[in-house]
Amino acid sequence: MLVTETIEYLGLHEAIEGTPEAAPSNGRDSTGLLPYFDPVYCSDGSVVSVDNVVLRYDVDMSFGDSSQYVEHLLTKFFADGSWAKIYRNNWGGKIKSSFKARVGKGSFWLGVSDEMPSGELWKSAIWVDFNPNKVGEHAGLQALIGMLHDAAKSVGIQRFDIAHDFPMERDRVMMGKDRKSYEWVRCCGAVSEALGSRGKPGFSRLYDKQAKEKLLSPLTRVEMTCKGDWTSSDIRERAPEIIAFSKVREKALGSTRRHITYKEALAAALSWLESLEEPVQTLLVRLEPEARKATISLMSDERLPCFPEEPVTTAVDAMKRRWLE
């Protein structure tokens, strides 16, 4: 695929002419919009990437010494003062001291927790929470992580988010699995769907990346929160079913035949709902499971290959090499 086509798929403002070798390194475009870090481009034009990582470093230091060490590293690598100490109750309420550092338009968090029972103050853990797509290339963050590697007795990935971006309009895509934990909310003027418990492994979101990032071309994102030790098989097993709707509305409204099919009638009804700015999802989630399944089958062209094994394996392996070695 030419780079011009890839840039168009990703909804970027400017196209970069030429072959893939002429593209900016690491999948980052020339405008700085929608950056990727170690992306994996799929044959259908979609992109798989790791969108968030939480690293844990176990250190043989007291809670106080660990906090001072983190402040020392931030002062050393972010001398411009673009960081602050902020209390943040996160990671199960274990964090006693936390810091936020700004990197360009992005940011990342560090936390220090006391991991020993009362009276044993020689062991603690340092956590780093960041989005590689936004801050992974920053030299200061990479140097800080390198120093933590040297100081830690052990290091691991606590959790990460895997993202899959499709060059499609948001209203043509929906989640197809029926679960009690399903919900939809309005975000950036568009409808977002979610499955599972927020922040827990397996939690998945489907939302309009074009609206969120103010892109010129359609882009819909699926995200899943994963345990740090999950493999591509674990992700595939828990991946939500993503359905692409057929564009039957245009056929229904333009039909001049005497007999109108159920499919065309359904399309006309859904178009009417859309004219009232009522999300189609609100109708579908009210249907009984069998009726919902039948309705979706009438409307859908295909099931999108969400989180395919080979691209996900490549993305996860690259994440582990990058941040654990």
Side-chain angles (χ1 to χ4, degrees), residues 5-296:
E5 296 174 310
T6 302
I7 296 299
E8 180 181 358
Y9 278 138
L10 301 182
L12 304 176
H13 290 296
E14 298 176 5
I16 302 172
E17 300 292 340
T19 62
E21 288 73 22
S25 63
N26 232 350
R28 191 174 292 270
D29 70 288
S30 61
T31 67
L33 184 63
L34 198 63
Y36 287 110
F37 190 80
D38 290 339
V40 181
Y41 295 95
C42 303
S43 60
D44 62 356
S46 63
V47 181
V48 173
S49 65
V50 173
D51 197 55
N52 192 76
V53 180
V54 177
L55 298 174
R56 170 177 170 149
Y57 298 90
D58 289 314
V59 293
D60 287 334
M61 286 188 273
S62 69
F63 167 76
D65 288 344
S66 293
S67 297
Q68 290 181 10
Y69 183 60
V70 168
E71 290 193 44
H72 165 71
L73 293 179
L74 287 170
T75 302
K76 179 177 182 178
F77 297 117
F78 297 87
D80 57 357
S82 58
W83 63 274
K85 187 173 183 179
I86 304 172
Y87 176 76
R88 184 186 187 208
N89 184 14
N90 200 358
W91 296 300
K94 295 180 179 180
I95 301 300
K96 306 299 182 183
S97 181
S98 63
F99 308 82
K100 182 178 182 179
R102 295 196 175 277
V103 178
K105 294 183 179 180
S107 61
F108 67 93
W109 291 87
L110 292 99
V112 181
S113 62
D114 184 355
E115 296 297 314
M116 296 301 293
S118 177
E120 298 182 59
L121 304 178
W122 56 271
K123 183 178 180 183
S124 57
I126 300 173
W127 311 70
V128 185
D129 184 344
F130 64 101
N131 183 341
N133 285 334
K134 292 184 177 180
V135 300
E137 287 186 340
H138 192 271
L141 173 62
Q142 293 183 5
L144 183 148
I145 287 177
M147 294 291 286
L148 288 176
H149 270 69
D150 294 339
K153 185 173 70 173
S154 64
V155 57
I157 297 175
Q158 188 74 7
R159 70 170 185 262
F160 64 93
D161 288 354
I162 192 84
H164 196 168
D165 292 337
F166 295 94
M168 303 180 70
E169 296 88 349
R170 171 63 188 89
D171 60 4
R172 286 197 60 210
V173 185
M174 75 168 293
M175 288 180 169
K177 284 187 176 179
D178 292 299
R179 298 185 192 173
K180 293 181 180 179
S181 55
Y182 172 89
E183 64 175 335
W184 66 268
V185 296
R186 284 193 176 275
C187 177
C188 303
V191 173
S192 297
E193 299 177 65
L195 290 172
S197 300
R198 190 173 297 275
K200 300 293 184 181
F203 175 73
S204 302
R205 286 200 306 150
L206 172 68
Y207 63 94
D208 192 336
K209 192 68 173 174
Q210 179 187 15
K212 184 176 181 180
E213 302 291 345
K214 297 180 174 60
L215 308 179
L216 294 181
S217 299
L219 195 67
T220 297
R221 168 166 289 190
V222 184
E223 269 181 8
M224 178 188 286
T225 299
C226 308
K227 284 185 177 181
D229 59 355
W230 277 10
T231 64
S232 59
S233 297
D234 295 317
I235 295 172
R236 284 288 306 137
E237 181 182 342
R238 296 164 176 82
E241 183 182 33
I242 305 299
I243 298 168
F245 290 156
S246 169
K247 290 187 175 181
V248 296
R249 180 180 71 244
E250 299 171 5
K251 296 180 182 179
L253 298 179
S255 176
T256 58
R257 296 199 310 272
R258 183 174 182 180
H259 299 289
I260 299 177
T261 66
Y262 280 109
K263 190 173 184 179
E264 291 170 333
L266 173 64
L270 293 174
S271 296
W272 175 73
L273 279 175
E274 188 177 43
S275 70
L276 300 178
E277 297 187 353
E278 179 77 7
V280 171
Q281 286 87 343
T282 62
L283 168 64
L284 295 177
V285 297
R286 293 172 188 157
L287 299 176
E288 293 295 325
E290 289 302 317
R292 183 168 184 257
K293 183 178 179 180
T295 301
I296 289 174

